[in-house]
Amino acid sequence: TLLSSLGLGTTLTFASSHWLLAWMGLEINTLAIIPLMAQHHHPRAVEATTKYFLTQATAAAMILFASTTNAWITGAWDMNNVSNPIASTMIITALALKIGLAPMHFWMPEVLQGLDLLTGLVLSTWQKLAPLALIIQTAQAIDPLLLTTLGLMSTLIGGWGGLNQTQLRKILAYSSIAHMGWMIIVLQYAPQLTLLALLTYIFMTSAAFLTLKTSSATKIGTLATVWSKSPILTTTTALVLLSLGGLPPLTGFMPKWLILQELAKQSLPLIATIMALAALLSLYFYLRLCYAMTLTISPNTTTSTTPWRVQTTQASFPLALATVMALGLLPVT
């Protein structure tokens, strides 16, 4: 029931051109994921769920308020008709709060840290779709300066915040913030690149989360012991992390390349430079994960190369699919 409601909420938001229906979809979406987040009854999970609920409820209320204001002034509930600057600014602020764009990102690492890996995966991929659909639909009415600020701040903060973390879920949360910034920065110039970046981000994040789920790792220290248990997985994970960082010849390079090219084409060289340098910040902590995973031998492993292990019961097909997508899609460009 909860999963179908989750799908239904997002689909409602996709299909709507009326603000009330969009708001209702977002609301169904939030209410459906909350029991999924709190299902383990761990104090941290409950705390994360509470934080998530409060931020999402605030954002939904702001969307409702802004669309009501817009309808009050213009007499229309259409999405493509947000002509009032106050309403459009409030709507983009609320949607930024919903997907965790900086400076409204503070809930995201905390919430992701409290969840288990699969719910975290749903939170960082599926939950981004509905608000992003609304952002793309209303993008042309929004002040370009505001969008650029959101995008630049998100990439910088997503790069800086992840540097000092040892918890993998927080690192993935900051990486998510940085990727959202890349999507927002190019939104008004080439919305199709935003969608491309979103698609590649979903593949790469799914691969990363499913890998962590297979090796049940939540800290950097645990990653160092994975190589002896599943060497091939270690190799592909290092490549997936580099793909998240955006190195060619992996998939993650494609959106970054096209977005920087588009920014340069729009004669915004300074913004393109800042974005490229911010990508280096993110690359540093992905490289740190790669280093811990593949280039160090953990002091607490056994002396034998492959320790005894039981057969895993987890489905490996989603992981394989996501990994292949995250590594091999560059020729699509």
Side-chain angles (χ1 to χ4, degrees), residues 80-283:
N80 43 20
N81 195 14
V82 191
S83 49
N84 184 28
I86 300 176
S88 67
T89 307
M90 276 181 59
I91 282 171
I92 188 68
T93 314
L95 290 168
L97 175 62
K98 264 202 175 298
I99 59 171
L101 282 169
M104 282 77 79
H105 65 284
F106 291 97
W107 60 272
M108 179 95 191
E110 262 83 18
V111 167
L112 209 56
Q113 180 56 36
L115 305 178
D116 67 310
L117 291 163
L118 281 182
T119 322
L121 170 64
V122 172
L123 185 72
S124 30
T125 54
W126 184 256
Q127 291 298 92
K128 306 286 189 211
L129 296 179
L132 263 168
L134 295 184
I135 290 180
I136 289 172
Q137 282 183 58
T138 52
Q140 299 311 319
I142 301 164
D143 180 20
L145 180 65
L146 180 63
L147 274 184
T148 310
T149 314
L150 282 173
L152 277 178
M153 277 194 76
S154 299
T155 38
L156 285 167
I157 286 178
W160 254 307
L163 292 182
N164 208 17
Q165 302 294 336
T166 56
Q167 298 284 348
L168 297 177
R169 284 166 294 188
K170 282 197 175 175
I171 286 183
L172 283 167
Y174 280 110
S175 113
S176 167
I177 295 168
H179 278 278
M180 290 293 140
W182 277 91
M183 286 172 219
I184 295 301
I185 199 92
V186 79
L187 184 56
Q188 280 184 328
Y189 311 112
Q192 65 273 19
L193 285 187
T194 303
L195 286 173
L196 177 79
L198 176 65
L199 201 65
T200 50
Y201 160 76
I202 286 178
F203 283 138
M204 296 183 296
T205 311
S206 308
F209 267 107
L210 290 168
T211 306
L212 299 183
K213 176 89 178 63
T214 308
S215 54
S216 60
T218 53
K219 292 194 194 61
I220 295 189
T222 331
L223 277 184
T225 62
V226 173
W227 66 273
S228 60
K229 298 190 178 58
S230 41
I232 309 235
L233 188 65
T234 311
T235 316
T236 56
T237 311
L239 289 173
V240 164
L241 287 166
L242 292 178
S243 178
L244 267 168
L247 289 188
L250 306 166
T251 309
F253 178 57
M254 171 169 58
K256 287 193 166 52
W257 177 22
L258 295 172
I259 287 172
L260 287 177
Q261 183 186 348
E262 181 62 36
L263 287 173
K265 208 186 290 178
Q266 299 287 348
S267 61
L268 300 166
L270 184 64
I271 291 175
T273 311
I274 297 174
M275 295 294 282
L277 292 175
L280 282 178
L281 287 170
S282 308
L283 185 63

Side-chain angles (χ1 to χ4, degrees), residues 292-303:
M293 231 179 148
T294 54
L295 296 174
T296 54
I297 293 183
S298 175
N300 56 2
T301 47
T302 51
T303 46

